[in-house]
Amino acid sequence: MNVLICIFAVGSMALWLADYSFPPVEQTRLLVGMIAVWFVGASILSWAKKNDDGDDTDSFFPKKLYLAIAFIPWLVCAVVVANAVVDSSTASTHTTSVTKRSTGRYGSSVNVASWGSEGNTRRVPVSGGCYNLLTPGKNITVVEKDGALGIHWIAGIAECSR
């Protein structure tokens, strides 16, 4: 059971990295989905570990079901990555402005004024060199693509090369 929990945890980290590398336009949906997958999966696998007696014959949930649960983050990660990597759609551009910059342990990002809804912002991961070019208030061009699987994603910022 510990191996399944490790597979699940590493898959969750891979999903988080995929979200950072290929950010969807609707980030809130993916974030809520990631939290739900993590919470439900971690709860089920923790319950299974606590109640595991090593005998699968009397089990209501066979271990194959736990194995499937452990690989759900990997499946979602594959969808996010395939959506961007296989994407051959034409890019659309949106002119917007930087509202905030932030750097963290795992990289830098800028928040930009949303081009779809008034008053909202969107996070765009950027490289260190790009981060230094983008200051709050600066007008930029965000490149958006449709995605091979229909999940719109932010391909980059025209003023920077990603």
Side-chain angles (χ1 to χ4, degrees):
M1 197 54 63
N2 287 335
V3 172
L4 294 180
I5 291 172
C6 288
I7 290 170
F8 182 82
V10 172
S12 296
M13 289 300 294
L15 177 56
W16 178 78
L17 288 172
D19 170 54
Y20 193 81
S21 299
F22 308 108
V25 172
E26 294 296 331
Q27 294 171 355
T28 304
R29 288 182 186 172
L30 184 64
L31 180 63
V32 168
M34 284 173 31
I35 291 170
V37 163
W38 185 83
F39 182 74
V40 171
S43 297
I44 291 172
L45 291 176
S46 296
W47 177 85
K49 180 180 179 185
K50 182 178 132 191
N51 294 309
D52 185 25
D53 61 0
D55 182 15
D56 217 15
T57 58
D58 64 344
S59 177
F60 182 71
F61 292 107
K63 293 200 182 195
K64 291 178 186 176
L65 198 63
Y66 299 137
L67 184 63
I69 290 169
F71 280 101
I72 287 175
W74 287 102
L75 179 65
V76 177
C77 179
V79 168
V80 170
V81 171
N83 180 64
V85 171
V86 185
D87 187 9
S88 61
S89 65
T90 310
S92 60
T93 58
H94 307 283
T95 303
T96 185
S97 62
V98 176
T99 59
K100 184 175 107 177
R101 302 184 325 163
S102 58
T103 96
R105 178 180 293 173
Y106 304 108
S108 305
S109 64
V110 294
N111 286 14
V112 299
S114 177
W115 53 89
S117 53
E118 193 71 31
N120 290 337
T121 61
R122 296 179 187 209
R123 176 189 58 85
V124 181
V126 294
S127 65
C130 185
Y131 178 82
N132 294 329
L133 295 173
L134 304 176
T135 56
K138 181 175 182 171
N139 287 331
I140 61 169
T141 305
V142 176
V143 180
E144 177 186 338
K145 294 187 90 178
D146 292 337
L149 303 174
I151 304 168
H152 294 259
W153 64 287
I154 299 170
I157 296 175
E159 289 78 7
C160 306
S161 61
R162 257 179 56 159

